[in-house]
Amino acid sequence: MAVLTVENVSFRYRNDWVLHDVSFTVNPGEFIGVLGPNGSGKTTLLKVMDGLLEPQEGTVMIDGRPIRKMSRNEAARIIAVVPQDAETVFSFTVEELVLMGRSPHLGMMSFEGSRDYRVVAQALELTGLSGLAGRRLNALSGGERQRVLIARALAQEPKILLLDEPTAFLDIRHQVEILDLAGNLNRTSGVSVVAITHDINLAASYCSRIAMLKEGSVHCLGAPEVVITEEHIRSVYGIDVIVDKHPVAASPRVTTIRSYPSEQGSRFESGAAPQL
Ligand code: ADP
């Protein structure tokens, strides 16, 4: 059974519809990438999947139940969101923030017990943060903070992890580290991952399926080699690219094509080197 189902979802903030009749399923253990230009509705879709926004039309089901009928805590025991950055919680220590991930599992007025601390220790271990447990968030690098947010989500012991641009602002090494981490969790603990990303090549190498959004609709959905094509990218992003194969992984690889000044027929004489 699908762990998450988005069924004919349409959503508007005020007047304009931002999501139009979006449908897809997330199966146990899948790693799904959500691609699309700025403003195409990715973050809105993530908030709808998490139950933070209620769609005016359609339904989101997690574990076979409509999310709108669940309390926040019930939903948070199944689905965990990793936001882009933790700007507002800088004064907490790493361990304090990760411990917050346990709150959906605690009863009213009850305190954390030894199991909660064990789960937190394991989340810190998995994310390579055990040595930084007492460090404040404002004394960490962007990559470390991103790992803390993933650790907090893991402490929720979710079945689904939603990542909102987990590699934004990270250098290339940390981008790979974060996606390796998500990929390892996905393989070893069977957590389903849905990650919004702008990095088409990273999505192609980590995701089992990709949904490409265009103006609030799913333009195409499927395996990376089905979705990442020159035609789809031209139609969705409005640019020409070259798509060939990654030399090792054989996943689709996108290369952008620079528009050369002489082709634009603008500032530079044809063939003349630009003056730097
Ligand atoms: P993406 O994540 O793909 O960049 P978003 O889901 O953030 O897209 O935004 C989709 C559309 O919804 C955009 O046109 C954006 O301006 C609009 N939008 C996003 N958040 C709000 C909001 N809180 N109120 C009104 N409109 C919003």
Side-chain angles (χ1 to χ4, degrees), residues 263-276:
E263 286 172 12
Q264 291 173 333
S266 59
R267 285 186 297 152
F268 309 117
E269 294 290 323
S270 176
Q275 299 291 305
L276 297 177

Side-chain angles (χ1 to χ4, degrees), residues 1-275:
M1 184 180 70
V3 69
L4 187 146
T5 310
V6 176
E7 249 173 44
N8 307 112
V9 160
S10 296
F11 178 85
R12 62 168 178 229
Y13 286 97
R14 285 181 202 93
N15 300 325
D16 297 334
W17 290 94
V18 168
L19 297 175
H20 312 273
D21 200 19
V22 172
S23 296
F24 66 91
T25 55
V26 181
N27 297 312
E30 272 200 298
F31 193 139
I32 295 192
V34 180
L35 296 174
N38 293 331
S40 57
K42 302 181 296 296
T43 300
T44 304
L45 176 60
L46 196 103
K47 288 179 180 168
V48 166
M49 288 196 285
D50 177 40
L52 212 62
L53 295 175
E54 192 174 327
Q56 287 83 2
E57 289 176 16
T59 318
V60 174
M61 312 268 278
I62 52 174
D63 244 10
R65 291 176 56 205
I67 197 168
R68 67 168 186 279
K69 296 206 168 144
M70 294 182 178
S71 69
R72 284 307 293 160
N73 273 355
E74 266 182 293
R77 290 196 287 267
I78 304 174
I79 197 161
V81 176
V82 179
Q84 280 188 24
D85 202 1
E87 282 163 36
T88 52
V89 290
F90 274 2
S91 55
F92 290 105
T93 67
V94 169
E95 189 178 29
E96 283 166 349
L97 192 85
V98 176
L99 198 54
M100 284 177 201
R102 294 305 297 158
S103 57
H105 294 273
L106 304 177
M108 288 261 280
M109 313 290 285
S110 66
F111 294 100
E112 298 89 1
S114 57
R115 176 157 195 285
D116 299 303
Y117 283 98
R118 261 203 322 278
V119 172
V120 167
Q122 201 180 11
L124 291 172
E125 173 87 38
L126 275 169
T127 47
L129 291 167
S130 305
L132 297 176
R135 187 86 74 82
R136 294 203 182 281
L137 265 85
N138 56 10
L140 296 180
S141 72
E144 288 163 343
R145 269 207 306 280
Q146 195 65 40
R147 295 213 304 269
V148 177
L149 295 177
I150 293 181
R152 179 182 63 179
L154 293 183
Q156 279 176 240
E157 297 184 294
K159 290 186 175 177
I160 311 159
L161 204 54
L162 302 182
L163 305 163
D164 191 357
E165 292 194 43
T167 55
F169 319 119
L170 299 184
D171 66 42
I172 193 164
R173 182 184 136 199
H174 288 104
Q175 288 178 11
V176 171
E177 268 184 25
I178 292 293
L179 285 173
D180 275 347
L181 174 61
N184 284 338
L185 289 168
N186 172 253
R187 274 193 306 278
T188 55
S189 26
V191 176
S192 305
V193 178
V194 180
I196 291 180
T197 178
H198 277 302
D199 195 318
I200 303 178
N201 287 329
L202 283 181
S205 50
Y206 285 89
C207 299
S208 44
R209 284 196 299 152
I210 292 176
M212 197 180 267
L213 298 191
K214 179 184 181 184
E215 294 164 7
S217 299
V218 178
H219 184 77
C220 43
L221 170 69
E225 56 277 16
V226 173
V227 171
I228 298 172
T229 64
E230 292 170 6
E231 291 74 21
H232 287 153
I233 291 174
R234 189 179 307 118
S235 155
V236 171
Y237 292 89
I239 56 160
D240 287 320
V241 295
I242 297 165
V243 176
D244 59 2
K245 279 191 176 168
H246 186 289
V248 179
S251 51
R253 177 180 63 174
V254 174
T255 308
T256 51
I257 307 167
R258 192 185 144 189
S259 47
Y260 286 92
S262 57
E263 286 172 12
Q264 291 173 333
S266 59
R267 285 186 297 152
F268 309 117
E269 294 290 323
S270 176
Q275 299 291 305

